[in-house]
């Protein structure tokens, strides 16, 4: 169990998390040039942190040049209107890399 304000345990991705990855695909490509031309990522797992809204820490799989690669996305879902903002990306990551606060 996470402490108040801490990041929760990683869980398998849900349809809601996949929708976030799909919606923010253009923003991810803007931050990571190597992912330009790649199809929208496949959400693998995620963890959340309750702040003034919710921070999502998402592991997403991309296919680049026929090879699978991974990125960790930090997405802020704003309180109130629920708008999404891609606040950070860690790339490249390995499939075995754990999701953590960044």
């Amino acid at each position: 169990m996470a402490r108040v304000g801490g990041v929760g345990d990683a869980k398998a991705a849900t349809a809601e998390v996949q929708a976030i990855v799909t919606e923010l695909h253009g923003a991810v490509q803007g931050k990571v040039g190597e992912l330009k031309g790649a199809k929208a990522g496949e959400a693998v797992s995620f963890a959340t942190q309750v702040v003034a809204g919710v921070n999502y820490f998402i592991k997403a799989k991309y296919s680049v040049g026929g090879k699978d690669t991974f990125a960790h996305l930090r997405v802020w879902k704003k309180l109130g209107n629920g708008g999404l903002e891609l606040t950070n990306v860690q790339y490249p990551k390995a499939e075995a890399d754990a999701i953590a606060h960044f």
Side-chain angles (χ1 to χ4, degrees), residues 58-80:
I58 303 169
K59 181 185 293 189
K61 179 171 76 172
Y62 295 86
S63 181
V64 176
K67 295 182 180 178
D68 288 343
T69 186
F70 294 83
H72 288 184
L73 315 178
R74 180 175 175 172
V75 178
W76 177 40
K77 184 174 183 180
K78 299 173 184 178
L79 190 62

Side-chain angles (χ1 to χ4, degrees), residues 44-68:
V44 176
S45 58
F46 75 105
T48 58
Q49 175 189 35
V50 177
V51 290
V54 178
N55 280 328
Y56 286 85
F57 298 90
I58 303 169
K59 181 185 293 189
K61 179 171 76 172
Y62 295 86
S63 181
V64 176
K67 295 182 180 178
D68 288 343

Side-chain angles (χ1 to χ4, degrees), residues 8-66:
D9 296 332
K11 301 174 270 231
T14 63
E16 176 187 12
V17 172
Q18 180 59 53
I20 292 169
V21 172
T22 301
E23 181 176 336
L24 294 177
H25 182 59
V28 172
Q29 289 180 316
K31 288 188 180 265
V32 182
E34 293 92 334
L35 295 178
K36 288 190 181 192
K39 292 181 182 177
E42 175 189 337
V44 176
S45 58
F46 75 105
T48 58
Q49 175 189 35
V50 177
V51 290
V54 178
N55 280 328
Y56 286 85
F57 298 90
I58 303 169
K59 181 185 293 189
K61 179 171 76 172
Y62 295 86
S63 181
V64 176

